[in-house]
Amino acid sequence: MNPTSHAPRPTSRVWKFGDDVNTDDVLPGKYAPFMVGEDVFQNYAFAHLRPEFARAFRPGDLIVAGRNLGLGSSREYAPEALKKLGVRAIVARSYARIFYRNLVNLGIVPFISEEVVNAAEDGDEVRYDIRTGTLELRGRTYRLEPPPPFLLLALEEGSVLEYFKKHGDFPGVE
């Protein structure tokens, strides 16, 4: 399904994490692509925090996290593992700056919402629409700031990087 379509999204599950989850928590260094292989490194996402994560995650499920998600090194392969598993969006209280940028570059929408983080519980069922920034949780609709137009354009190609490869420039550049 196109991540920017207006079609009703299937129900997604929440995978909730706390504060200060670093890139080594997202993908431990010993499972880097050059250590285990480009075709399988995503199978080790959150291997130490949630060993069942990569096996049980369904494309479109939603990661919800606390403050400072992705702190630590600037390893792009940590968010890339999430992308390969089918993560389309994350809601957190805040992100480490480089991790945030890597998510955007890879086409994972990083929403910020204290309210959603406070309300969501691990395993909750949610529906979300990336284009409009709406999230439905336990009968309540939350309004998230939708992605800027340049990111929506990039998402149509899969990511900012894929957009650049196809068009030879970044989305929104005139």
Side-chain angles (χ1 to χ4, degrees), residues 2 9 13 16 25 66 76 110 116 144 153:
N2 181 333
R9 298 230 0 105
R13 290 176 299 174
K16 192 161 183 185
D25 293 326
E76 189 173 281
V116 169
L144 307 169
L153 282 172

Side-chain angles (χ1 to χ4, degrees), residues 4-166:
T4 60
S5 79
H6 288 289
R9 298 230 0 105
T11 301
S12 301
R13 290 176 299 174
V14 168
W15 292 83
K16 192 161 183 185
F17 295 89
D19 294 337
D20 300 319
V21 174
N22 66 50
T23 54
D24 204 45
D25 293 326
V26 176
L27 188 75
K30 69 182 185 179
Y31 302 120
F34 56 86
M35 301 289 283
V36 298
E38 288 279 337
D39 56 334
V40 296
F41 75 99
Q42 70 276 8
N43 296 331
Y44 300 97
F46 295 110
H48 296 153
L49 292 180
R50 305 279 300 268
E52 78 284 5
F53 179 84
R55 183 178 67 267
F57 186 88
R58 295 183 313 233
D61 279 357
L62 185 67
I63 294 174
V64 174
R67 295 187 197 312
N68 208 17
L69 178 61
L71 77 144
S73 72
S74 60
R75 307 178 201 177
E76 189 173 281
Y77 59 76
E80 187 178 353
L82 300 178
K83 174 76 171 185
K84 287 183 82 162
L85 287 174
V87 174
R88 295 183 181 112
I90 298 174
V91 179
R93 285 188 175 97
S94 65
Y95 299 84
R97 183 180 53 82
I98 293 173
F99 188 77
Y100 180 93
R101 188 62 206 185
N102 283 335
L103 291 174
V104 169
N105 287 346
L106 291 168
I108 299 173
V109 178
F111 290 109
I112 297 172
S113 175
E114 184 89 22
E115 200 176 22
V116 169
V117 174
N118 288 340
E121 296 295 334
D122 197 57
D124 277 348
E125 291 188 355
V126 296
R127 290 183 194 273
Y128 63 92
D129 184 312
I130 288 173
R131 181 174 287 282
T132 62
T134 55
L135 183 141
E136 297 171 19
L137 169 65
R138 286 192 238 112
R140 181 169 176 205
T141 300
Y142 294 86
R143 302 278 179 222
L144 307 169
E145 185 173 335
F150 87 88
L151 185 52
L152 291 174
L153 282 172
L155 289 173
E156 290 175 10
E157 302 296 338
S159 70
V160 173
L161 300 175
E162 291 301 316
Y163 186 97
F164 184 83
K165 288 177 189 176
K166 183 173 182 179

